[in-house]
Amino acid sequence: MSTGLMIGIDIGGTKTLMIVTNREGSILAQHKQPTIQARQPSAFFMALFEQVHHILSTIDCTIADIEGIGIGLPGAVNVATGVITHIPALPLDGVSLIKQIEPFYQGALYLDNDVNVAALGEHWQGAGIEKKHMIMLTVGTGIGGAVILNDTLFRGADYTAGEVSYFVVDHQPEQRSLEVVNSHEFGRFESHASGTGIGIYARQWLTSQQADATHPIVVHAGGDIQQVQAVDVLMLAQAGNSDAKEIMNVPIDYMAAGIANMISLLNPECVVIGGGVADSSYYIEQLSQRIQQFTPIHAQLVPAVLGNVAGALGAVYGVLNDPLMMNPHSR
Amino acid sequence: MSTGLMIGIDIGGTKTLMIVTNREGSILAQHKQPTIQARQPSAFFMALFEQVHHILSTIDCTIADIEGIGIGLPGAVNVATGVITHIPALPLDGVSLIKQIEPFYQGALYLDNDVNVAALGEHWQGAGIEKKHMIMLTVGTGIGGAVILNDTLFRGADYTAGEVSYFVVDHQPEQRSLEVVNSHEFGRFESHASGTGIGIYARQWLTSQQADATHPIVVHAGGDIQQVQAVDVLMLAQAGNSDAKEIMNVPIDYMAAGIANMISLLNPECVVIGGGVADSSYYIEQLSQRIQQFTPIHAQLVPAVLGNVAGALGAVYGVLNDPLMMNPHSR
């Protein structure tokens, strides 16, 4: 008899969120814990399935009741083979998900990167419901992107579609500044427009203005300019502080130029913004206005609404709709 | 009995190319003429079908032998309804293709914009054969873009996907130059990187260098700096002239930044460059190198190979694969 029970796991660099849902995506159990620290993939998955058994025990179920497991990871994934191809934050590089999980679970699986599963989650149950063509950006330490076209994740020729961190929106060829862009460690667009970029620019700006410990933004950060982060500037801008608004102009402008390019190329119905900035209505409103100054093509700009649960829900959606093709010879 | 005969018509702002092909796209007849000048749509289509009858007579056929007609136009088109929604160069705004053509022909029809049909043509028989995901850019007076994903034209929510002319690659938020971008008549990206942009920049550069009528680029343009066009600079750069190469650095850099953004977002297998610049191997080589300085995501950069016939061939491909949905009440 079908239980319809699914597991979604969103493994982040520091936290892992695990949910058990039915086929409609209603969450029956939820558990958040620090991401497993293990040197070997086998130890990682053994510990992960201990957590799976634990969460299932809280709702009087066992792994035999589970009809699919979807996993989101902070790395690049070959969704056809289930092999993790690049994952800086975890010791899972080159790991085959199917082989690692087989000892613990033999049902339907899905594996994808964290931004793709967040986009699937928002498309299924959040800000992108009934949006046939949608782009999702997650703005945090870096900037991640995912592209949903015709209600399906678009992954590109080598599974790297959505790598908008590398966007170039500020090039001045006359200044021959090519040397700057030869490092691809951190994309140029994200160096300006990510949460990290907002923090760096804010500290530079405050320093250049000789702001002291009594400046409201610095006070919000605990009295030390060097501790000012994106969240401090966003909170103060939201509250109407003119310096915070002045600072936000620059990263918002960069972000607007990048999003305008995505809209001009793909004409999506909406662009969903996730990450900490999505909590600021000031940020979303300003961004929306500026995008229209860069492109006449219209798309809705909306904040993500599912918060931390988007990725785990999207992983469930993935295993429901697009499970890994199992190779019978590998099973 | 099936003849398999198809007609493809590429209506440009100044020239119209008409071809008759079989279902495999072999060209049986071809005719190029100035685009019809008519004030009324009815007169336009009457004259167009006189040309159709003429080309068919050259191969001893009649309109009754034709199994599909595809048309490419320099404007925006609702491909679901066959209504032309924006076409600055021709008096066909708001015109329903089905209604206008019905008096002359009642078979399968296809209508799309000129860049989309060129992309379909290159995908079917040219530089993009067997490329599942491909972006095409046509670089001329302006810059047009078309996106083929999963072997299908991607048109976006309002049929405007591919409007890369509006890309922003040179924004400097600190300089608050927003006023510049509020005019959408000519996109910012195309103002730098199109053939028009190359010509403008070349004339500025030559003037700033106080080049006289003996400068090789000026000589190539007939002795007058004000007559220098993109083709003059491209020819001289191809021949190794150092000033021409210096001039080309800037528009090539802009183009590279824009294409890098497209590649980062979509991870296509190839980007096909059409228009006059595609004839210059210097341009294609330089562009290819610079794109790699902006993004680590790889895509082949290839010149279009079908020349002027790409659009008409792509229109045939369109009517073969994706004919307009006929509304029985309108027929």
Side-chain angles (χ1 to χ4, degrees):
Chain A
M1 200 190 90
S2 169
T3 63
L5 289 179
M6 318 299 293
I7 290 178
I9 309 176
D10 186 5
I11 303 175
T14 55
K15 297 278 175 62
T16 293
L17 180 72
M18 191 176 289
I19 61 175
V20 184
T21 77
N22 61 19
R23 286 183 165 264
E24 288 69 47
S26 299
I27 295 174
L28 310 173
Q30 178 168 340
H31 193 56
K32 192 172 178 178
Q33 55 251 311
T35 291
I36 295 155
Q37 301 295 315
R39 295 200 179 175
Q40 297 297 326
S42 57
F44 182 91
F45 283 99
M46 183 170 291
L48 188 71
F49 273 83
E50 282 172 17
Q51 296 180 353
V52 168
H53 291 300
H54 170 73
I55 192 174
L56 288 173
S57 72
T58 66
I59 52 169
D60 292 327
C61 291
T62 72
I63 193 80
D65 298 315
I66 297 302
E67 300 189 348
I69 299 180
I71 299 179
L73 284 162
V77 167
N78 182 325
V79 292
T81 61
V83 173
I84 300 164
T85 56
H86 181 62
I87 186 161
L90 295 172
L92 301 176
D93 232 355
V95 161
S96 161
L97 183 78
I98 295 174
K99 288 199 179 134
Q100 289 295 329
I101 291 186
E102 194 181 22
F104 310 104
Y105 175 73
Q106 294 84 37
L109 287 175
Y110 180 81
L111 180 68
D112 212 333
N113 79 58
D114 49 0
V115 188
N116 280 351
V117 290
L120 286 177
E122 293 287 343
H123 183 64
W124 188 25
Q125 309 228 354
I129 291 177
E130 293 182 3
K131 303 298 184 191
K132 196 172 171 187
H133 312 307
M134 152 188 156
I135 293 169
M136 175 147 187
L137 299 181
T138 57
V139 185
T141 308
I143 297 177
V147 180
I148 290 178
L149 304 176
N150 295 310
D151 295 314
T152 306
L153 267 175
F154 179 76
R155 295 194 170 89
D158 308 301
Y159 307 103
T160 69
E163 286 287 359
V164 299
S165 60
Y166 299 115
F167 262 36
V168 178
V169 297
D170 64 336
H171 189 51
Q172 299 287 304
E174 291 84 348
Q175 295 168 21
R176 312 296 302 143
S177 55
L178 283 178
E179 73 287 349
V180 182
V181 296
N182 276 319
S183 160
H184 294 308
E185 284 306 300
F186 206 61
R188 248 167 102 151
F189 179 57
E190 72 186 345
S191 75
H192 290 303
S194 64
T196 309
I198 295 172
I200 291 170
Y201 181 70
R203 295 190 291 277
Q204 285 175 351
W205 190 93
L206 289 163
T207 304
S208 74
Q209 301 287 312
Q210 300 180 300
D212 62 22
T214 67
H215 190 287
I217 299 173
V218 184
V219 170
H220 196 272
D224 179 0
I225 282 189
Q226 293 316 314
Q227 298 303 315
V228 169
Q229 305 291 338
V231 64
D232 304 308
V233 191
L234 281 161
M235 295 286 277
L236 271 288
Q238 183 79 35
N241 178 274
S242 59
D243 283 355
K245 288 181 174 180
E246 173 80 15
I247 292 168
M248 285 309 301
N249 274 339
V250 167
I252 288 175
D253 247 22
Y254 280 115
M255 182 62 84
I259 293 176
N261 289 353
M262 299 171 208
I263 292 172
S264 294
L265 182 59
L266 289 179
N267 179 213
E269 281 160 279
C270 75
V271 178
V272 178
I273 307 290
V277 297
D279 297 333
S280 165
S281 59
Y282 174 80
Y283 181 89
I284 298 290
E285 280 160 22
Q286 288 291 309
L287 184 58
S288 188
Q289 282 176 26
R290 281 152 203 249
I291 290 168
Q292 293 170 47
Q293 296 176 307
F294 289 119
T295 179
I297 314 294
H298 179 72
Q300 274 188 295
L301 184 81
V302 288
V305 298
L306 296 177
N308 290 334
V309 85
L313 267 177
V316 170
Y317 181 86
V319 71
L320 278 168
N321 290 278
D322 192 18
L324 281 171
M325 299 296 287
M326 297 298 182
N327 180 347
H329 300 292
S330 76
R331 296 293 306 277
Chain B
M1 202 189 90
S2 169
T3 64
L5 290 179
M6 317 300 290
I7 291 178
I9 310 176
D10 187 4
I11 303 174
T14 55
K15 298 276 174 64
T16 293
L17 180 73
M18 191 177 288
I19 61 175
V20 184
T21 77
N22 61 18
R23 286 184 164 264
E24 288 69 47
S26 299
I27 295 174
L28 310 174
Q30 178 168 341
H31 193 56
K32 193 172 178 179
Q33 55 251 311
T35 291
I36 294 156
Q37 300 295 314
R39 295 201 177 171
Q40 298 296 327
S42 57
F44 182 91
F45 284 98
M46 183 171 291
L48 189 72
F49 273 83
E50 281 171 18
Q51 296 180 353
V52 167
H53 291 300
H54 170 72
I55 192 172
L56 289 173
S57 72
T58 66
I59 53 169
D60 292 326
C61 292
T62 73
I63 192 80
D65 299 315
I66 297 303
E67 300 189 346
I69 300 181
I71 301 179
L73 284 163
V77 167
N78 182 325
V79 293
T81 61
V83 172
I84 300 164
T85 56
H86 181 62
I87 185 160
L90 294 172
L92 301 176
D93 232 357
V95 161
S96 161
L97 183 76
I98 296 174
K99 287 198 179 136
Q100 289 296 330
I101 290 187
E102 195 180 23
F104 308 105
Y105 175 73
Q106 294 83 39
L109 286 176
Y110 180 80
L111 180 68
D112 211 333
N113 79 57
D114 48 1
V115 188
N116 280 352
V117 290
L120 287 177
E122 293 288 343
H123 183 63
W124 188 25
Q125 308 228 353
I129 290 177
E130 292 182 4
K131 303 298 184 190
K132 197 173 171 186
H133 312 307
M134 150 187 158
I135 293 170
M136 175 146 187
L137 300 181
T138 56
V139 185
T141 308
I143 297 177
V147 180
I148 290 178
L149 304 176
N150 295 310
D151 295 314
T152 306
L153 267 176
F154 179 76
R155 295 194 171 87
D158 308 303
Y159 307 104
T160 70
E163 286 287 358
V164 298
S165 59
Y166 299 115
F167 262 35
V168 179
V169 297
D170 64 336
H171 189 49
Q172 299 286 306
E174 291 85 347
Q175 295 167 21
R176 312 296 301 141
S177 55
L178 284 178
E179 73 288 350
V180 182
V181 296
N182 275 317
S183 160
H184 294 307
E185 284 304 300
F186 205 62
R188 245 166 105 151
F189 179 56
E190 70 185 346
S191 76
H192 291 303
S194 64
T196 309
I198 296 171
I200 291 170
Y201 181 69
R203 294 190 291 275
Q204 285 175 350
W205 190 92
L206 290 164
T207 304
S208 74
Q209 300 289 313
Q210 301 179 299
D212 62 22
T214 67
H215 190 287
I217 300 172
V218 184
V219 170
H220 195 271
D224 178 1
I225 282 188
Q226 293 316 313
Q227 297 304 314
V228 168
Q229 305 291 337
V231 64
D232 303 309
V233 191
L234 282 162
M235 294 285 279
L236 271 288
Q238 183 79 35
N241 178 273
S242 60
D243 283 355
K245 288 181 174 179
E246 173 79 16
I247 292 168
M248 284 310 301
N249 275 339
V250 168
I252 287 174
D253 246 23
Y254 280 116
M255 181 62 84
I259 292 176
N261 289 352
M262 300 170 207
I263 292 172
S264 294
L265 182 60
L266 290 179
N267 179 214
E269 283 161 278
C270 75
V271 178
V272 178
I273 306 289
V277 297
D279 297 332
S280 165
S281 59
Y282 174 81
Y283 181 90
I284 298 291
E285 281 161 21
Q286 288 291 309
L287 184 59
S288 188
Q289 283 178 25
R290 281 154 203 248
I291 290 169
Q292 293 170 44
Q293 296 178 307
F294 289 118
T295 179
I297 315 293
H298 179 72
Q300 274 189 296
L301 184 81
V302 288
V305 297
L306 295 177
N308 290 334
V309 85
L313 267 177
V316 170
Y317 181 86
V319 72
L320 278 168
N321 290 278
D322 192 18
L324 280 171
M325 300 295 286
M326 297 299 181
N327 179 347
H329 300 294
S330 76
R331 297 292 305 277

